[in-house]
Amino acid sequence: MRQTMGDSLRCEWDDVSELLEGGDQARFRSMSCAAREQFTGTIWWLADPLWREPGNARRMEHDARRTEINIGRMATQDERFSYDRQRGGEAVASMILRFGWPTYRGWLGMFDERDHTNWLTVTHRAWPPSPPYSTLEFSLDRIHTLPSWRAALNPFEAKSEDWRFIDEDSTGMPTAIWWPTEHFRPARRLVQLPEGQTVSVRRQSYIEVVSAVTMGHPAQLRARDRYDVMLLASSGPERADSLDQQWAASGDTVRLRGRLSGEPTLLGIEAVGQAADGLDARTRFGFSPPRPLSALAADEPAVSDLALLPPLSAAQLAAPSDTLLHLLRPSSMLTANDRRLSLYWESYNTRPSDSVQIVLRVVPENGASLLRRLGIAARLIADPTEGVEVRWLDSEPLGGQTTLVGPVSAQMRAITLDLGRLKPGRYLIDLRMQRKDGRMAVQQTAVELLP
């Protein structure tokens, strides 16, 4: 349909300003038609409820609403609403475009009908009456799938919190106090999963990515369903690749693995429940992979992401491998009874003969600026309740190491940390590896210790 429109009509049709927050509406309306077309393409790509399903249910709903509004305007009045401007048709069109058709209407009777007409014709004589007058109610089974403005401008830097489907209470039930700028009613309930933990390691010609997330939304735990869970990568509108697929039950942690090029992408984890009246769930976030090993400069040292794992056995620590990523924690939060964790990472272009010096620090997150100013030789932590600092050389028996032979060498490493003496709060794990030639690689991740 859009392909048959002229430029001006397509520009009008692509106007999504009614679906945006107040300040974002003005920014959108200031765009040229060409910029709008590109921007709305991104908006609908990000607003698609599930990439794994053909089509885009949210965009189809929007186009259907526009069509219904145009049909209503041709008649100016139907059994529900007046569409001409003089009798409030612009407000009707705005409501339908944002929210769709109400779930039900409540008519308060002839007394209120006459009262509204008198108010329009007597109190405000220039306003024509527009019966029937009724309250319009929307059910709570509707969600807001448009992303934040920030995510629309920089989709590959998006966080899971850039989407907020609906306001929920602690039991996962929708609350009636939150009203988004737009919403629609999907065929099945769709809930949001946490972002989980996603890490990557480098290989010669590709990037290996692993994501872990728990099917733990309160509605999932009540449903006790089985889920077909898929890890997808999308680099743009109508481009989504399936990387991995597994089954999981309510409450299970699922770990999905796939290969990526070195280009930025959006990752999505989408879980489809198997019950006929079931529940679907998803999370979505931007991901910028590092360069593959073949793209590293000659003799350039590098470090992979730091993977947070449960405490490893002595045998696992002695001979670490990337199979340990199947133990990836689904969260970076540690409870008061769960303060021990293991780290897995890989270093590249750091041969055992390099006499690599390794410093691992765990410091409060507000100490990040200090870490950026510190070299590897500086001592930082004196009070063991404020942080953790561990130093060792490759030649010392601390932590395991396995070498992956290839054109660019890779050392698989693991170590266990006890954070039991640290106070609750957010911490930064900072890893620095320095070769004897002075060249250094740095990697960081965050962890939160719950009270």
Side-chain angles (χ1 to χ4, degrees):
M1 179 175 64
R2 293 182 69 259
Q3 289 74 10
T4 64
M5 296 179 181
D7 291 344
S8 60
L9 179 57
R10 187 166 61 251
C11 187
E12 180 183 349
W13 190 272
D14 283 341
D15 186 347
V16 295
S17 58
E18 289 283 6
L19 309 182
L20 303 176
E21 303 294 337
D24 301 335
Q25 289 183 352
R27 284 187 281 270
F28 178 85
R29 288 168 178 162
S30 69
M31 293 180 178
S32 67
C33 286
R36 284 187 183 191
E37 186 168 8
Q38 181 176 359
F39 186 80
T40 54
T42 300
I43 282 283
W44 292 128
W45 166 43
L46 301 180
D48 190 348
L50 293 174
W51 287 331
R52 63 186 291 168
E53 294 184 348
N56 183 331
R58 182 61 189 90
R59 185 167 194 174
M60 290 171 59
E61 172 71 13
H62 182 75
D63 288 345
R65 292 175 184 178
R66 274 214 178 276
T67 301
E68 289 172 325
I69 291 168
N70 288 343
I71 292 173
R73 282 172 172 164
M74 293 171 64
T76 70
Q77 175 77 48
D78 64 14
E79 69 278 10
R80 299 181 181 89
F81 302 114
S82 300
Y83 290 91
D84 58 307
R85 182 176 183 180
Q86 192 178 17
R87 292 187 294 170
E90 288 186 348
V92 170
S94 178
M95 179 200 70
I96 294 173
L97 201 60
R98 294 179 183 184
F99 310 125
W101 290 108
T103 305
Y104 63 89
R105 303 173 66 197
W107 187 63
L108 302 179
M110 289 303 301
F111 177 82
D112 285 273
E113 191 89 352
R114 288 192 299 268
D115 189 52
H116 277 77
T117 295
N118 289 336
W119 184 80
L120 289 169
T121 58
V122 177
T123 308
H124 301 277
R125 295 179 181 179
W127 292 1
S130 182
Y133 309 107
S134 56
T135 61
L136 308 176
E137 304 294 339
F138 293 83
S139 58
L140 294 178
D141 55 351
R142 295 164 181 252
I143 57 174
H144 170 67
T145 64
L146 261 69
S148 69
W149 182 268
R150 175 185 62 184
L153 292 179
N154 299 290
F156 301 126
E157 297 177 10
K159 306 295 184 184
S160 61
E161 55 264 28
D162 283 311
W163 289 266
R164 185 186 178 194
F165 288 174
I166 196 167
D167 191 50
E168 297 174 335
D169 61 24
S170 59
T171 68
M173 296 301 293
T175 64
I177 62 173
W178 180 69
W179 195 258
T181 304
E182 65 80 30
H183 59 59
F184 93 114
R185 183 173 182 254
R188 291 160 54 96
R189 186 180 177 192
L190 180 65
V191 299
Q192 287 179 276
L193 295 170
E195 191 165 311
Q197 185 186 178
T198 297
V199 298
S200 65
V201 293
R202 308 187 196 209
R203 294 297 175 255
Q204 299 301 325
S205 59
Y206 61 91
I207 301 301
E208 189 91 8
V209 63
V210 184
S211 288
V213 69
T214 299
M215 302 291 110
H217 188 280
Q220 288 181 298
L221 299 179
R222 284 195 302 272
R224 302 181 63 85
D225 199 359
R226 280 177 54 79
Y227 296 89
D228 178 6
V229 189
M230 187 179 290
L231 174 65
L232 302 107
S234 180
S235 57
E238 300 181 9
R239 297 196 298 272
D241 297 317
S242 172
L243 304 181
D244 196 7
Q245 191 169 7
Q246 295 182 26
W247 286 97
S250 297
D252 284 354
T253 295
V254 61
R255 297 170 179 89
L256 301 133
R257 193 165 186 155
R259 295 183 178 185
L260 297 172
S261 66
E263 300 301 321
T265 189
L266 271 170
L267 292 178
I269 299 175
E270 299 182 355
V272 173
Q274 297 307 291
D277 58 346
L279 178 76
D280 301 333
R282 76 153 219 224
T283 187
R284 187 175 290 175
F285 48 90
F287 187 75
S288 295
R291 293 167 293 158
L293 294 180
S294 59
L296 284 180
D299 213 30
E300 175 189 356
V303 177
S304 73
D305 291 332
L306 304 179
L308 306 178
L309 311 178
L312 299 176
S313 67
Q316 290 170 322
L317 286 170
S321 74
D322 60 0
T323 59
L324 294 176
L325 293 175
H326 290 295
L327 302 173
L328 192 67
R329 285 178 177 265
S331 171
S332 60
M333 295 185 291
L334 304 181
T335 65
N337 298 322
D338 181 28
R339 290 288 200 256
R340 293 181 72 245
L341 61 81
S342 290
L343 288 180
Y344 173 88
W345 76 96
E346 297 180 3
S347 61
Y348 311 107
N349 278 328
T350 56
R351 296 171 293 274
S353 59
D354 289 333
S355 299
V356 175
Q357 183 180 8
I358 305 170
V359 176
L360 183 64
R361 298 184 178 104
V362 184
V363 299
E365 198 171 49
N366 57 15
S369 59
L370 176 61
L371 283 174
R372 284 193 290 269
R373 299 194 299 269
L374 284 175
I376 198 168
R379 294 279 178 177
L380 173 65
I381 300 168
D383 185 350
T385 68
E386 297 292 336
V388 173
E389 183 170 322
V390 186
R391 298 167 172 267
W392 73 99
L393 297 173
D394 255 355
S395 57
E396 298 173 352
L398 181 63
Q401 175 182 318
T402 303
T403 300
L404 181 64
V405 178
V408 178
S409 62
Q411 279 71 49
M412 303 176 177
R413 303 169 181 270
I415 190 173
T416 294
L417 298 174
D418 189 342
L419 308 182
R421 299 181 68 179
L422 300 183
K423 302 170 185 176
R426 287 186 60 83
Y427 289 81
L428 195 69
I429 301 178
D430 179 89
L431 175 74
R432 297 171 184 238
M433 300 184 65
Q434 183 172 327
R435 298 189 316 207
K436 60 184 177 183
D437 63 4
R439 300 185 72 181
M440 183 166 60
V442 179
Q443 189 60 266
Q444 296 178 335
T445 192
V447 66
E448 182 174 1
L449 306 184
L450 301 177

